[in-house]
C-alpha cells in the first residue's frame, strides 16, 4: 500500500548520504525544510546547503555547517561566483553526539530561520535570491531519518526586488505551479496537551500530519479524533511503550473492543515519529515514518461530525497539520 502524502507535504525517508536532490517546486517564502537524523558518536562536522544547482562546485545561497573541533561552533555562509563570502559564526552547539535531532529551516521573506529540537537557533539574512535555489545538499557525520519539504506557495512571478538577473538552473514555471499547497497554516511546536479544531470536520481524503518526539521516559501517549459536542471519539490511538499501539472508539459513553494487531511500533522512547492519518470513505489509513501502520474501519459513520483533534501524553510536538 503506497504512502499518500498530505497536500504540500513532500517526505523522503532514510535517504542516503550524500543527499543532493531538487527542492520540489523550488524554494519560496513560507516553506519549511525538516531534517531528522542522528549525530554520529564520532561526529566532527556536517553541512546543509541550499544550492544553486546540483554540481559539487555550485553556488550556495545558505551553508549551515556545525563543527565539533574543540571550539564547537556552527558556521553560516554563502558561496557566490565560486567564492565563499564572509563567515557568520555562533559558538554554541545545539547537537549532541550519538543523539537524535530535528533541524528545521523556515524560509522567511528576509532570512532563513533555523530551529533545532524546537528551539530557535539562528537567523541568516538572504544574500542570494530565493528563486536561484534549486537543490538541497546534506552530507557529513550523521545518519538521516527523513527530509520533508513543507508548505509554501510559489509567487505568480518573481517580484522585482527578488528577481534574479538570469533564470536559475533548471527553472520550470510549470514545475513551480505543480507544487502541492498546504490546506491551511501548520502549527509548529505546539504545547502538549494539544487541542486543534478540524474546521469543516473530517472529509474523505483529508490527511492529518503529526510530527513529534517520544520522551525518553515515556509510558503512554494518546491521539483522539473527537466530536466536540457529544464527546464521542471516532478514533483513539494509544501507543503503549513495550506493548504496541491500541486503537478503539468511545461511542455513546462506552468504549468498544480494542484492536491491537500491528507489525511494528514506531513510537519508541527517545525517538522522533512522523504520523500521517488519512480519512477514507470506510476507514482511516495510518502511516508512520512513511510505512503503512494500520487501517481502522469507521465505527462512527458520520465522520464529518468529527471536529476536534486531541494529543496528549509523554511527548513533544514539532509540527501538526490539520
Amino acid at each position: 500500500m503506497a504512502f499518500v502524502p498530505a497536500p504540500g507535504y513532500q517526505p523522503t525517508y532514510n535517504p542516503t548520504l550524500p543527499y543532493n536532490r531538487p527542492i520540489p517546486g523550488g524554494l519560496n517564502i513560507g516553506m519549511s525544510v525538516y531534517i531528522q537524523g542522528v549525530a554520529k558518536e564520532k561526529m566532527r562536522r556536517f553541512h546543509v546547503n541550499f544550492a544553486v544547482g546540483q554540481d559539487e562546485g555550485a553556488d550556495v545561497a545558505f551553508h549551515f555547517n556545525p563543527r565539533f573541533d574543540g571550539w564547537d561552533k556552527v558556521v553560516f555562509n554563502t558561496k557566490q561566483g565560486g567564492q565563499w563570502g564572509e563567515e557568520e559564526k555562533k559558538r554554541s552547539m545545539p547537537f549532541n553526539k550519538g543523539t537524535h535531532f530535528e533541524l528545521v529551516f523556515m524560509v522567511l521573506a528576509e532570512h532563513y530561520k533555523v530551529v533545532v529540537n524546537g528551539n530557535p537557533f539562528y537567523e541568516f539574512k538572504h544574500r542570494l535570491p530565493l528563486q536561484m535555489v534549486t537543490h538541497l545538499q546534506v552530507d557529513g557525520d550523521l545518519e538521516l531519518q527523513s527530509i520533508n519539504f513543507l508548505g509554501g506557495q510559489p509567487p505568480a512571478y518573481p517580484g522585482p526586488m527578488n528577481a534574479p538577473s538570469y533564470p536559475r538552473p533548471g527553472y520550470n514555471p510549470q514545475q513551480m505551479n505543480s507544487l502541492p499547497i498546504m490546506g491551511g497554516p501548520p502549527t509548529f511546536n505546539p504545547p502538549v496537551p494539544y487541542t486543534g479544531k478540524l474546521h469543516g470536520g473530517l472529509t474523505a481524503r483529508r490527511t492529518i500530519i503529526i510530527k513529534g518526539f517520544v520522551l525518553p521516559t515515556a509510558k503512554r501517549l494518546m491521539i483522539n479524533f473527537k466530536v466536540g459536542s457529544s464527546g464521542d471519539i471516532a478514533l483513539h490511538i494509544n501507543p503503549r511503550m513495550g506493548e504496541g499501539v491500541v486503537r478503539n472508539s468511545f461511542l455513546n459513553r462506552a468504549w468498544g473492543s480494542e484492536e491491537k494487531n500491528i507489525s511494528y511500533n514506531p513510537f519508541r522512547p527517545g525517538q522522533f515519529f512522523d504520523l500521517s492519518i488519512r480519512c477514507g470513505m470506510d476507514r482511516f489509513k495510518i502511516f508512520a515514518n512513511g510505512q503503512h501502520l494500520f487501517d481502522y474501519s469507521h465505527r462512527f459513520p458520520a465522520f464529518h461530525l468529527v471536529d476536534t483533534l486531541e494529543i496528549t501524553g509523554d511527548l513533544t510536538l514539532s509540527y501538526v497539520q490539520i
Side-chain angles (χ1 to χ4, degrees), residues 9-209:
Y9 188 71
Q10 303 289 319
T12 301
Y13 296 98
N14 302 312
T16 57
L17 294 174
Y19 177 94
N20 185 0
R21 299 188 189 180
I23 296 172
L27 201 63
N28 49 82
I29 294 171
M31 285 186 71
S32 293
V33 180
Y34 268 70
I35 300 175
Q36 292 179 336
V38 181
K40 290 186 176 180
E41 288 284 358
K42 296 182 179 180
M43 170 176 277
R44 295 185 57 212
R45 61 177 61 188
F46 73 90
H47 67 259
V48 178
N49 289 338
F50 290 82
V52 183
Q54 188 175 13
D55 297 340
E56 184 176 345
D59 283 353
V60 177
F62 180 28
H63 173 70
F64 177 86
N65 181 208
R67 301 176 183 177
F68 289 88
D69 56 6
W71 296 86
D72 294 354
K73 59 183 174 292
V74 180
V75 173
F76 317 88
N77 208 341
T78 293
K79 185 180 181 183
Q80 186 173 11
Q83 301 294 321
W84 287 105
E86 183 178 352
E87 286 187 345
E88 299 178 26
K89 299 177 183 179
K90 183 169 182 178
R91 295 194 179 278
S92 174
M93 181 55 67
F95 304 95
N96 295 312
K97 296 181 180 181
T99 62
H100 291 78
F101 67 83
E102 182 173 66
L103 174 60
V104 182
F105 297 93
M106 298 180 181
V107 184
L108 305 179
E110 296 183 353
H111 56 259
Y112 298 88
K113 181 176 181 179
V114 183
V115 179
V116 183
N117 298 332
N119 300 310
F121 182 71
Y122 199 75
E123 294 179 355
F124 183 82
K125 290 186 178 180
H126 297 305
R127 301 183 189 177
L128 292 178
L130 294 179
Q131 290 85 355
M132 295 176 65
V133 177
T134 61
H135 285 70
L136 183 74
Q137 302 172 341
V138 185
D139 201 7
D141 303 323
L142 74 164
E143 296 177 5
L144 290 175
Q145 293 181 338
S146 69
I147 294 180
N148 299 342
F149 299 95
L150 305 172
Q153 179 160 0
Y157 59 91
M161 293 191 66
N162 291 328
S165 57
Y166 53 89
R168 69 179 187 214
Y171 174 76
N172 184 335
Q174 291 183 339
Q175 181 190 43
M176 287 191 69
N177 292 332
S178 69
L179 178 67
I181 307 304
M182 303 299 280
T187 302
F188 296 96
N189 307 116
V192 177
Y194 167 88
T195 301
K197 286 296 180 183
L198 299 168
H199 297 291
L202 282 180
T203 56
R205 301 184 66 185
R206 184 168 184 173
T207 301
I208 310 300
I209 300 295

